[in-house]
Amino acid sequence: RYVEDRTILVSSICLGFLGSLLLLDLPFSQTLPLWRFLLGFSLITVAFPLGRNVVLGIFGNVLGDVNQGRWMGIIFAISAFPRVIGPFISLALLTAIDWGTWLEFGICTILFGITLLATCRHIDELVPYADFAKQLNQKYAQASRQQLVTIHSPRPSPMLVTSLATRRQNRME
């Protein structure tokens, strides 16, 4: 593997952000130059499938051994929703501001920016479940019961904590 999934994810979000930024026709300009439209549309066209496939791969790794089919189905169903209502909302935005693209792609730019900030803030938590469980086991073995709550921001599942406590008691006996 040459490039890590998280790097591809951040690159995809940056491409989408830049493409949306290029597609903005600012309120004081009457037209969107052809070169900006072609370049912006090309960047977004590359960003979406690249990002979607990487997100599905990362999500599958983060889920671990649970029933991934159900969760992948939920993601696909949710991702189909914007494809159904998106054209109607897009048309409503374009007609509301006399066919200017600044509102439509301004919203896209803001959403890509928020997604980029959230991804960068939580990039360390996008690790495969096996790595997370190994890190949690190491921290749990060194921590007291009081410190367990603060080991990792999402609280460990009761099944994981129970199995870890059982293993710890078995080692003590």
Side-chain angles (χ1 to χ4, degrees):
R1 177 176 267 182
Y2 295 107
V3 182
E4 189 178 354
D5 288 345
R6 295 182 293 182
T7 305
I8 297 173
L9 176 63
V10 171
S11 301
S12 170
I13 296 170
C14 288
L15 284 175
F17 179 77
L18 184 61
S20 295
L21 201 59
L22 285 171
L23 288 172
L24 288 173
D25 65 338
L26 302 176
F28 53 82
S29 77
Q30 293 297 319
T31 60
L32 179 65
L34 182 62
W35 70 269
R36 275 184 38 208
F37 173 76
L38 291 175
L39 184 60
F41 189 75
S42 298
L43 289 174
I44 288 178
T45 301
V46 168
F48 276 113
L50 183 68
R52 181 177 183 213
N53 291 335
V54 170
V55 164
L56 290 174
I58 289 174
F59 189 63
N61 287 337
V62 169
L63 282 177
D65 295 334
V66 300
N67 184 0
Q68 292 184 6
R70 178 184 319 144
W71 293 107
M72 294 296 181
I74 290 171
I75 281 186
F76 279 112
I78 291 171
S79 68
F81 186 67
R83 290 189 182 116
V84 172
I85 66 163
F88 299 109
I89 292 175
S90 178
L91 183 62
L93 290 174
L94 286 171
T95 56
I97 56 170
D98 197 28
W99 298 97
T101 62
W102 63 269
L103 181 60
E104 180 179 355
F105 289 109
I107 292 170
C108 288
T109 304
I110 290 169
L111 289 174
F112 271 116
I114 291 169
T115 304
L116 181 62
L117 292 174
T119 302
C120 289
R121 186 178 189 297
H122 299 286
I123 196 86
D124 293 333
E125 294 177 21
L126 298 175
V127 296
Y129 179 77
D131 295 347
F132 167 74
K134 189 167 100 175
Q135 290 171 359
L136 186 64
N137 280 336
Q138 290 171 351
K139 289 179 183 178
Y140 182 77
Q142 298 168 355
S144 68
R145 189 167 189 86
Q146 296 292 341
Q147 295 170 327
L148 181 62
V149 175
T150 60
I151 283 179
H152 195 270
S153 57
R155 293 185 184 213
S157 74
M159 288 185 351
L160 183 62
V161 173
T162 304
S163 65
L164 291 173
T166 305
R167 276 192 256 158
R168 191 173 190 185
Q169 284 177 346
N170 289 343
R171 272 190 262 157
M172 294 174 128
E173 293 173 355

